[in-house]
Amino acid sequence: QPKPVEQPAPAEPAATEAPAATEAPAPTEPPAPVIKVGQVTDMGGIDDKSFNASAWKGVQDAVTEFGIEGKYLESQQQSDYAKNIQQYLDEGTDLIVTVGFLLGVDTAKTALANPDQKMAIVDYTFPDCWPGAEVGVQCGTDQELPNVRGLAFQTDQASFLAGYLAAGMTKSGKVATYGGLPIPTVTIFMKGFEAGVKYYNQQKGTNVEVLGWNTATGEGSFTNNFESLDDGRAQAESFVQEGADIILPVAGPVGLGSAAYCKETGSCLIIGVDADWYDTAPEYKDILLTSVLKKIDVAVFDTIKDVVEGNFTGGTVVYTIADGGVDIAPFHEFDDDVSAELKAELEAIKAALIDGSLTVDGVLGQ
Amino acid sequence: MAAENLSTKIPSRKRIATGIALLVIGLLMSVFFLPGTETGQTATFGLNLSSSAAILLPDMTLPVQTSLYVLVLIVVFMGAYHMARGIRSPGALFGVVAFCFVAAFLIWATRGRSLSLIGMLTSSLVRATPIALAALCGVISERAAVVNIGIEGIMLIAAEASVVTASLSDSLYIGLMVGILSGALIAALHAWLVIRFKVDQIVSGVAINIFATGTTSFLSSKYLQHQSDLLNNSGTFPIISIPLLSKIPIIGPIFFENNLIVYLMMIIVIVMHIVLYYTPWGLRTRAVGEHPKAADTLGINVYLMRYVNVIVGGMIAGLGGAYFTLGSVGRFDEVMTAGKGFIGLAAMIFGNWNPLGAFTSSLIFGFADSLQVKMQILKVPIPSSILGMAPYIVTMIVLTGLVGQAIPPAADGQPYEK
Amino acid sequence: MPPVLQLKGITKAFPGVLANDHIDLELNEGEIHCLLGENGAGKTTLMNILYGLYKPDAGEIYVRGQKAEIENPNDAIQRGIGMVHQHFMLVPVMTVTENVMLGVEEKRNGVFLDRAKVAARIREISHDYGLEVDPDAYIKDLPVGIQQRVEIIKVLYRQADILILDEPTAVLTPQEVEGLFKILRSLVAKGKSLIFITHKLKEVMALADRITVLRLGRTVGTVTPSEVTPERLASMMVGREVNLTVSKKPPKVGDVALEVKDLYVEDERHQVAVRGLSLDVRAGEVLGIAGVQGNGQTQLVYALTGLAPVLSGEIRILGKPVRKPTPRKILELGVGHVPEDRQRHGLILSFPIHDNMVLCTYYQAPFARGINLQEKVIVANAETLAKQFDVRTPNVFVPASSLSGGNQQKVIVAREFSRPIKLLIASQPTRGLDVGSIEYIHSRIIEKRDEGAAVLVVSSELDEILALSDRIAVMYRGQIVDIVPAAQASKEYLGLLMAGISPADAAKSVAPVAAGEVERVF
Amino acid sequence: MSAKEKTEKTETRPKSEKNRSQAFWQSLLVPVLAVFTGLVLGGIVIAATDKGVAAAFGNFSANPVGIFPAIWKAVATAYGALFYGSLGSPREIIEGLRVYRSSGDMALLLKAIYPFTESLVTATPYIFAGLAVALGFRCGLFNIGAEGQFFMGALGSAFVGYSLIGLPWFIHLPLAILGGAVAGAVWGAIPGYLKAKFGAHEVVNTIMMNWIAFRLSDWLLTGPMKASGFRPVTPTIQRAAELPRFFPDPLRFNWGFILALLVAWLVYWFLFKTTLGFEIRAVGANPDGAKYAGMSVTRNFVLVMTLSGALAGLAGASQVLGVDHWVGQGFSAGYGFDSIALALLGKSHPLGVVLSALLFGVLRSGATRMQSLAGIPIDIISIIQGLVIIFVAAPAIIRWIFRIRVSEQETVLTRGWGK
Ligand SMILES: Nc1ncnc2c1ncn2[C@@H]1O[C@H](COP(=O)(O)OP(=O)(O)OP(=O)(O)O)[C@@H](O)[C@H]1O
Ligand SMILES: Nc1ncnc2c1ncn2[C@@H]1O[C@H](COP(=O)(O)OP(=O)(O)OP(=O)(O)O)[C@@H](O)[C@H]1O
Ligand SMILES: [Mg+2]
Ligand SMILES: [Mg+2]
């Protein structure tokens, strides 16, 4: 199966910019009847410091921007997905935003059963088929569900930059990353990060080592949960003991545990994920090198915007470094510590990634 | 005559079995670990913490294959000797073998690489702290015959309470106090239910757990997550290195470079041991746990003893809860205790209901846990989720092999009717 | 001078039971006052009230003339009242010292226990009153006799001068009883006053200055030994004439039903408790095993009934050798077992009576078809047995726990005797029961024997052994030291054997066989 | 001894036959009041954390009575949503029926009964898991491992469900159910065996088995059992392995519920009507007595833990085969743990378990609507559950609150560390 990151980014990204040209309705005159948007979280819950949270941010932004009505429903278990979606159907919600690949099947089924219900799903597209689906028609292509927009992110491009930056900034010659669980949406960060470091070594003939992930073997460090911040702390402590001084935690709130350790001991720097931790976790700004941005909020906001403006389309939208859907955050506190040339190199790499002359897989030799 | 060869005959069967088991373990060790290695390969173990400015020790560099052979031989020898002569204390036997196995595993995993041994041991103690505190809570209250499996819940509530107050008051110490008090409060509720109303003790514990999970998550998602920096940002206790002691190689960084809560935990272990076995209070506590009626007939107030012990236990658990926030990450998130309370109970049981034992077994967990983390970093070709099972499997093995017959206080879990 | 202790109109009701009904009692300085009454008469309750464990519903207590409000044991201890409880109040996993000091601990520098000081005091006491005991021994390792001494020491350590002893002799050998009596007399000589609870008439006669008899919670009367005969006391106790001797025909002995050769058994702590024991029991006879508790009788019975594994040796039941005996195998061979501890082994207390009546046969026809329990049959069975064995209960649906001790025992007896058994193993069959129940159960056992079953009776009550047995085996340190025909066995001789004197030496001091028939009263 | 007879009569009169039905109703009284009290306290929490109420308090000085409507509004909206969302509104149901009668159009009716069916769907795994724990209690074993067994059961049945292809349903479905039961049984049997053989405390071992199960499922879902494609979930099971549903989507009400009731009855029969059940209860009540009577205590420990595990496994199976059809990470919402509460609430009696399972089903499934319409975090349900358990476990409190005299003898459900 093609992974979303490997899919050719279709025209949608353009679509997301296009409407900017068309006149947006001023927030003062709310369109009547008021548009209803409902988000269904996965098990992580709305406060997962990760994609549920940032999706919700997108909804809230839209609420303030367009005066729409936005709600969320937390799922506590698998069987809640269908139930929560159904709840929104009953309430006559205009756009249902489901978060996470675990909601894929239920989203697809609902979409098929209710062809004019607009839906969007974060971190998922529909390459997979399910029993009862007509292969090639309902699934197995990118475009199979006209009323569902799959929001995918080429996160590895951003974490590639982060990796390069980390390699450039490390004093000990060792950088580290770990995940919550070995699942694609997590490992794609780690993969890009390793690639970035590797690329740096290629360029500079250095030998910066990445702890906690190895794309070749697919082995790495995982806390096996997204709850226990204490585990995050232990991971950081362990990495530091093994000599790492920059850490990219890809485990939602667990990462804050690592941040806490770095802040307390001052022995390491953290690279945030998903949102810019400078805003979401300001208490750690003085050990925050940068963040790998995965702008789910923007994606969700755009989708809602399209709904509001009546040009919602289904299919897959892959957000890339090109359209700024993924990126790395400013260096904030560390702006002075990052050398001008490193900044320049990062810009160059960014450009190369955009024009495709440089690809993550290419670096990893795949 | 008959009696003698009898008393030797019966155990000897067991001995043979154990002996063979050991030989098998030795065999397995060589089968698993030797193949992967190359001659001349070495494994390097760091004996210093970058953070500690102690007298620097040289790193310990071991020849992989030789050391593996040695370890395997030790195990095999133990097996053979046990079969022939028989080794008195099963504890020692198990200890040595376990050590050899773990050492072999470490050396194998570290072959051609390096690993910070001290680092691992340090984190073992830190990781053991909440477990030990939970276990100590269990010990003190079960010595008075009150089972408390609500520890997990108590810790959750204490964690949240302490971080919120600490954030609001900008004082970690106030936070700590409140954490401990909240622990005492919930424990008092438990005591009230099981003593005054004779509620089944396990039931009350389960109820407390469910209730605590609900309440903390409820408040968390309703308030903490939204005013994060006002309510949920306490910072953590700094690491205090004890002047001279922390300079001792190996021991220093492990025991004398920790934060307040870790120190408190170690102090409580010692104090509780002394109190239980060398003071009237301890004597009465144990009597109440073993034979409450006897204590009663001697004019000891059974109910009072139980109330106090359970509440003190709650305070200790409260401290354990505060560890997760004030002692570790400075913020609260839903169900962040992640089952440590239950593991603490396991530690208490195979610590045989006494403080030192509970502490030691907590260390075993802590070790298994940090070992698991290190193994992942060393990219051992075992899936992380499988490695993640280590602490739990260790528990089961120890429970089964060593203290399957652990004897709880005689009246443990039973309400006392006059 | 006023009596040291006066109880006036003490009344106490429990749910459904009027345990004490306006009881009056006086205890004079330096007197041994016996409190006599069958089980459930209210003796313990009365004493518990005196000791502050229960609150009386009505009545007053005067200690040395002053009215005393005794709310809890502390008040009692304050007033110099001490109690040796019917069921020992000792913590098994603690040492003698710890048990004695519990509640009144000596402290070193204000905090720490001062074990040494207490141990020294204990040695003094044991010296003064001849209560030899090692202060550092763990209770669980001590024989009951010694445990009782510890209980007494506990009381003395608290400087009590009014001592209450609740059925202290139930668990002692004749010699130990003698020893205890010596101690008690020496206590009295030192000015202590004693209340001595028992339902053994001979002890009362031997020891008491005065006797107060209770029945069904009421005072029947207070007498002195000189005024009464045992028979008189017994009828005061029970409220009717009772026959204190077991009349039985000479045995019609058949062939060997139980054969034990060179048996070795371990106890829970893996000490060899039965070492090389051999015996055989023939159909139609009663073999009584006398011996002080803790000489391996329990393990012997456990081994014979499959409750404990056999280390080595051979057991043949009805000629068949049983290897690796399991309880079920043995039960199915036609063995009946009246267990020593009726509440631990004999019954499932929370189960209704009818289920307890089929505890060993629930899986057999007619009580089960396939795996289906036949409730009707089971209930019917229980009802007939309850009638037949005169179990006092409103109906067979009540849980066994709500039955009195004696009736609980009757349930067990009914269950075991109603099965077709060829070998009966009865361990302490009448412990803690009242005369009425004892009389009944004894007659049932003899009945079985006359039906041609082999009977093995284990009891620490020598009188019971003498009353029931055709042959008597004395067990000491896990071995049978001697077997004598019961008819002419002399109690003194048996007593010496039980105390560990070798048959030879014992025979020197007393005649192994008494002249003529001895009357069996107890 | 006539007096003694009298005493025994008086003390045992309440136990006599004719009062049994009355006793039954009494035994219901406490749980009902407990639930009620739990809801009341839950309401207080809701009100206390409600913005409207806070606002009303804000201008307390201005308008002191204003808080009462505010409180009423808060609580009413919440519980209104809760019960509408779990039972549906009678009016709609009647309306639906009418329409269905007149014009065979079911749509309205289905929509009306949807909430109620959802409650039954949620209750189904609760029934199985509750029975699992209850069975353990009956044998004096405390199975905290239902959660892990639930997981293994789910994975087991899922595996059978997707790996076998082309079987007719009447073979495939039973196999899949069996798969779940067996997987759960294994997970339960291990601690059972360890207790029987080595006397290791089943309480701790089952907890450990839970964690091992979670890790194992993480591994299986990201490795061996991963569906093609990149999602860490099992493939969807074959149609033939699904527990048939009674109504078209979105109604998920399926045969699992019927199966649950059937099994509940089976457990009742097994426990109280068979020799095996007799043994189990005997061992639970008094192991020594059971041994004396020739029963094998250890065998019963293993047997019961195995069966208990199987039941919990069935809970997982019913969820996969009836509702989800595939297994992904974080599959369960703590069914195993709630089921402990449930077994207690049901006094370890199958009927009681079924009733309390229905209650939990109603609470859990109504929570969705409450969350959406009243914006109450779903965790409130756990709070209410916790309170309910406390009150059920402490009838004394209830009597004390409501000044009632309920004379029921407390049955000891657990004994410390399952000694
Ligand atoms: N804890 C209790 N609660 C309620 N009733 C009890 C309790 N203990 C005993 N009884 C009742 O008191 C009466 C006597 O009980 P007890 O055990 O003293 O009998 P007993 O003196 O051993 O009688 P027996 O002479 O038959 O051995 C019985 O009717 C019993 O039902
Ligand atoms: N806690 C209790 N609850 C209910 N009834 C009780 C309780 N304690 C004693 N009884 C009953 O009160 C009556 C007196 O019991 P008590 O123990 O005083 O008799 P006793 O003379 O000591 O008998 P024993 O010779 O067996 O010691 C008995 O019927 C007994 O069952
Ligand atoms: Mg939440
Ligand atoms: Mg008594």
Side-chain angles (χ1 to χ4, degrees), chain C residues 133-182:
Chain C
V133 33
D134 166 14
D136 303 328
Y138 280 89
I139 297 296
K140 60 174 163 28
D141 305 333
L142 296 177
V144 273
I146 307 297
Q147 290 188 12
Q148 185 166 55
R149 290 186 189 170
V150 179
E151 281 283 16
I152 297 174
I153 292 176
K154 262 166 72 179
V155 173
L156 296 175
Y157 183 85
R158 288 163 174 69
Q159 274 137 12
D161 46 22
I162 302 173
L163 277 70
I164 306 161
L165 296 95
D166 193 349
E167 296 192 23
T169 58
V171 291
L172 305 181
T173 64
Q175 278 76 11
E176 282 176 317
V177 172
E178 268 319 308
L180 176 65
F181 285 5
K182 273 199 200 65

Side-chain angles (χ1 to χ4, degrees), chain A residues 334-354:
Chain A
F334 289 85
D335 204 45
D336 312 339
D337 306 274
V338 182
S339 68
E341 66 170 318
L342 187 52
K343 284 180 183 151
E345 288 164 18
L346 286 168
E347 280 313 314
I349 294 171
K350 196 165 170 180
L353 284 168
I354 290 172

Side-chain angles (χ1 to χ4, degrees), chain B residues 213-407:
Chain B
T213 317
T215 321
T216 50
S217 307
F218 180 81
L219 296 176
S220 166
S221 41
K222 202 148 169 87
Y223 301 112
L224 269 59
Q225 304 299 346
H226 306 312
Q227 293 118 315
S228 202
D229 38 357
L230 174 65
L231 297 173
N232 196 15
N233 173 22
S234 65
T236 58
F237 282 106
I239 296 218
I240 311 162
S241 31
I242 310 286
L244 286 154
L245 297 173
S246 62
K247 298 284 172 272
I248 308 168
I250 304 189
I251 308 296
I254 296 178
F255 289 100
F256 302 110
E257 267 186 39
N258 289 302
N259 69 32
L260 180 65
I261 296 182
V262 180
Y263 289 125
L264 283 177
M265 180 271 288
M266 292 191 277
I267 293 170
I268 292 175
V269 170
I270 295 159
V271 171
M272 192 188 286
H273 177 78
I274 294 173
V275 168
L276 267 184
Y277 298 102
Y278 299 99
T279 68
W281 180 268
L283 186 67
R284 293 172 179 210
T285 299
R286 287 184 291 133
V288 165
E290 290 290 341
H291 195 332
K293 187 126 193 75
D296 193 6
T297 56
L298 296 176
I300 293 170
N301 184 335
V302 177
Y303 295 143
L304 181 71
M305 294 298 296
R306 290 190 172 178
Y307 269 111
V308 175
N309 278 283
V310 173
I311 290 172
V312 170
M315 294 173 132
I316 297 174
L319 183 63
Y323 164 85
F324 287 97
T325 47
L326 309 185
S328 172
V329 296
R331 59 173 289 119
F332 179 87
D333 279 87
E334 292 180 18
V335 297
M336 70 188 297
T337 49
K340 293 285 194 301
F342 286 111
I343 300 184
L345 284 174
M348 166 198 74
I349 288 176
F350 74 78
N352 225 338
W353 283 270
N354 71 57
L356 297 179
F359 176 62
T360 326
S361 30
S362 309
L363 280 180
I364 299 181
F365 283 111
F367 182 77
D369 200 346
S370 53
L371 177 69
Q372 173 262 117
V373 173
K374 289 293 187 195
M375 290 307 106
Q376 293 192 29
I377 295 177
L378 290 173
K379 309 216 175 71
V380 174
I382 304 173
S384 66
S385 13
I386 302 295
L387 279 173
M389 297 178 184
Y392 314 117
I393 294 178
V394 169
T395 315
M396 292 184 68
I397 293 174
V398 177
L399 257 187
T400 306
L402 262 191
V403 290
Q405 277 70 9
I407 320 138

Side-chain angles (χ1 to χ4, degrees), chain C residues 15 17 38-41 342 401-407 432-434 437, chain D residues 1 4 7-8 11:
Chain C
V17 190
E38 61 177 319
N39 298 100
R342 76 181 70 115
S401 60
S402 71
L403 288 186
S404 75
N407 285 305
L433 301 193
D434 64 64
S437 315
Chain D
M1 292 201 170
K4 174 166 283 176
T7 65
E8 286 175 354
E11 82 184 8

Side-chain angles (χ1 to χ4, degrees), chain C residues 353-489:
Chain C
I353 293 173
H354 60 78
D355 282 345
N356 274 295
M357 288 277 198
V358 293
L359 205 55
C360 310
T361 48
Y362 64 93
Y363 61 97
Q364 299 167 341
F367 304 125
R369 240 192 256 118
I371 62 165
N372 287 284
L373 289 171
Q374 302 300 310
E375 234 158 296
K376 288 199 182 51
V377 188
I378 292 174
V379 171
N381 164 72
E383 268 153 359
T384 40
L385 287 183
K387 227 176 261 85
Q388 185 184 342
F389 285 77
D390 143 71
V391 179
R392 307 257 165 94
T393 171
N395 60 49
V396 295
F397 301 103
V398 304
S401 60
S402 71
L403 288 186
S404 75
N407 285 305
Q408 289 177 349
Q409 190 73 346
K410 286 180 189 167
V411 171
I412 296 172
V413 170
R415 179 183 67 217
E416 294 305 304
F417 284 32
S418 62
R419 292 192 288 121
I421 55 172
K422 300 196 189 53
L423 169 61
L424 170 65
I425 299 175
S427 189
Q428 316 289 358
T430 61
R431 168 178 294 170
L433 301 193
D434 64 64
V435 186
S437 315
I438 293 173
E439 187 187 2
Y440 179 81
I441 286 173
H442 281 179
S443 59
R444 283 297 192 156
I445 292 178
I446 296 305
E447 208 174 289
K448 269 286 161 203
R449 157 212 187 234
D450 294 343
E451 287 167 14
V455 180
L456 180 72
V457 174
V458 177
S459 173
S460 50
E461 303 255 5
L462 191 45
D463 297 297
E464 178 166 56
I465 294 291
L466 287 162
L468 284 174
S469 313
D470 301 308
R471 293 186 299 142
I472 299 175
V474 179
M475 198 166 168
Y476 180 74
R477 295 266 167 85
Q479 278 156 328
I480 302 280
V481 284
D482 192 11
I483 302 190
V484 294
Q488 322 89 14

Side-chain angles (χ1 to χ4, degrees), chain A residues 191-205:
Chain A
K191 188 174 158 200
F193 186 74
E194 188 197 14
V197 175
K198 226 170 159 187
Y199 187 63
Y200 183 90
N201 289 339
Q202 284 173 14
Q203 299 298 308
K204 309 275 180 175

